Amino acid sequence: MKFLLFGTGEYYNRYKIWFAKEEIIALIDNSKEKQGRYIDNILVIRPEDIFQYEFDVIVILSFYVKAMKQQLMNLGVEESKIYHFFDLHDLLCHSA
């Protein structure tokens, strides 16, 4: 499964270990200061650029899940491809 992770702050640092054996295509962040840089050797992209990448799901790693989910849906991401860090156990256990 190919993942995009939305958020590079505290929740990313807390949950990134869950993705140690997964294929992370890119990180997404709204911060212009982080976009175009690498975190943990993974490129940080703008939300508007997600469709330049092939992915299966986007996992939101932030407290602001509602706003970020709406932002993704406004960009055209199907709701069924958007997950929250609360869903990690079910998502990663089923993807194995």
Side-chain angles (χ1 to χ4, degrees):
M1 199 177 261
K2 296 178 180 180
F3 291 91
L4 290 176
L5 304 181
F6 195 172
T8 59
E10 179 184 340
Y11 284 95
Y12 168 74
N13 287 313
R14 188 181 302 177
Y15 290 100
K16 66 183 177 182
I17 191 72
W18 286 65
F19 298 93
K21 296 181 181 180
E22 304 297 336
E23 186 175 0
I24 302 171
I25 304 304
L27 302 174
I28 307 165
D29 205 284
N30 284 311
S31 170
K32 293 185 186 315
E33 292 79 26
K34 293 181 180 181
Q35 296 165 356
R37 298 181 183 228
Y38 287 82
I39 296 176
D40 297 327
N41 294 317
I42 306 167
L43 180 63
V44 180
I45 64 172
R46 302 176 323 142
E48 296 81 10
D49 295 336
I50 58 176
F51 292 110
Q52 294 178 19
Y53 300 85
E54 185 178 322
F55 64 92
D56 296 304
V57 298
I58 298 175
V59 179
I60 298 173
L61 299 174
S62 173
F63 178 77
Y64 300 101
V65 64
K66 288 182 181 179
M68 293 165 86
K69 182 176 182 178
Q70 189 61 54
Q71 180 182 9
L72 291 169
M73 290 173 62
N74 289 345
L75 290 170
V77 178
E78 296 173 32
E79 187 172 10
S80 63
K81 290 188 170 201
I82 303 171
Y83 290 82
H84 187 248
F85 63 87
F86 288 146
D87 305 318
L88 286 182
H89 184 267
D90 289 339
L91 176 65
L92 295 176
C93 286
H94 289 110
S95 70

